[in-house]
């Protein structure tokens, strides 16, 4: 941490106008309800209360805090340390880009940079950082931040009592168990949970990447989970075509339009797999599905969060998941 403090001190001694790149100087403490406990603010965006900070217990990691975001998305790590933070800033031109990466895919990230070229004032600030601190722009900034956020355990962040008055405590993901007569939402009866057999198989079918992470042996038969990987760009294109969002779920469409939407939905899945065991064909008796939408992570239910967490599915992709 000593080395990082030296970098911060050198940065502060540059006496540059960080507000030009979304890193305005200000109070080192924040009174916002969603600022983590033990936070030390290192810069402010100047809009919507957005600020960047270190958090006690997380070493040199830099976090973005956005009070106007939706519940569950107020705080995100954006850099492993302050040096990386400055290199990301050099690559992206404005700290606001780093704060927004959590809800963007690669295409949106690239489009924003292309549509928002640097001003002369921004370039002057970035040039000073690069030349005086001898830093180079971060290579692959989008991938860097996405990887950091995918690996981070958000449950470790602690908040003040004010936070929990605003945001109810999220229900915990239940212990992972799979039943033959159950589904993603639970089960009935006194059946024992199946035994998980790890497979981690992957194949391409009809230009789609399929994963079979595991099967489960139960007293009444086998249970198989199929996970289809869907690019976020494809989901975004589908949603834009039909103007779908959390607020607009399609209830105002005609029956014909809803049928067309269901047919085009890249996250829709309904399959009837068969297993050949020693020459005998075993057909599925029932099935159920859930999906993960990376374009609106706050809208995903606890059930699909449990699946993606258990199997380690990349949350930057969409996932159509079928249990049979």
């Amino acid at each position: 941490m000593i080395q990082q403090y030296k970098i911060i001190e050198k940065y502060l001694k540059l006496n540059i106008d960080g507000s030009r790149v979304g890193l305005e100087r200000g109070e080192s403490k924040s009174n916002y309800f969603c600022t983590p406990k033990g936070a030390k603010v290192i810069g402010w965006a100047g809009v919507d209360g957005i600020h960047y900070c270190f958090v006690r217990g997380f070493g040199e990691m830099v976090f973005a805090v956005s009070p106007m975001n939706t519940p569950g998305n107020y705080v995100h790590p954006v850099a492993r340390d302050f040096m990386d933070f400055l290199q990301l800033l050099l690559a992206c031109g404005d700290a606001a880009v780093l704060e927004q990466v959590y809800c963007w895919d690669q295409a949106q990230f690239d489009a924003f940079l292309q549509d928002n070229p640097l001003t002369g004032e921004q370039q002057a600030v970035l040039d000073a950082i690069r030349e005086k601190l001898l830093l180079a722009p971060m290579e692959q900034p989008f991938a860097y931040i996405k990887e950091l956020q995918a690996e981070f355990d958000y449950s470790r962040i602690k908040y003040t009592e004010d936070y929990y008055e605003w945001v109810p405590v999220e229900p915990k993901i239940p212990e992972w168990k799979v039943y033959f007569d159950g589904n993603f939402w639970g089960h009935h009866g006194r059946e024992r949970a199946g035994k998980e057999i790890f497979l981690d198989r992957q194949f391409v079918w009809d230009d789609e990447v399929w994963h079979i992470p595991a099967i489960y042996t139960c007293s009444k038969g086998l249970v198989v989970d199929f996970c289809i990987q869907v690019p976020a760009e494809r989901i975004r294109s589908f949603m834009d075509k039909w103007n779908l969002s959390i607020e607009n779920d399609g209830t105002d469409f005609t029956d014909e339009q809803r049928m067309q939407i269901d047919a085009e939905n890249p996250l829709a899945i309904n399959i009837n797999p068969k297993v050949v065991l020693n020459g005998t064909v075993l057909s599925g008796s029932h099935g159920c599905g859930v999906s993960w939408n990376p374009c609106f992570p706050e809208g995903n239910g606890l059930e699909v969060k449990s699946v993606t967490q258990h199997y380690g599915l990349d949350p930057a992709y969409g996932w159509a998941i079928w249990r049979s």
Side-chain angles (χ1 to χ4, degrees), residues 146-179:
K146 282 294 190 182
E147 180 181 357
L148 173 64
Q149 294 176 349
E151 295 173 347
F152 185 73
D153 181 3
Y154 286 84
S155 67
R156 293 177 56 207
I157 300 177
K158 305 302 180 185
Y159 298 93
T160 64
E161 293 181 2
D162 290 344
Y163 176 86
Y164 298 106
E165 291 179 2
W166 280 79
V167 182
V169 177
E170 288 191 11
K172 293 184 178 180
I173 293 178
E175 181 182 359
W176 180 263
K177 291 184 178 181
V178 174
Y179 299 87

Side-chain angles (χ1 to χ4, degrees), residues 80 271 274 276 286 288 309:
R80 292 184 174 87
I271 60 176
K274 294 179 173 61
V276 179
H286 56 281
C288 59
Q309 177 178 296

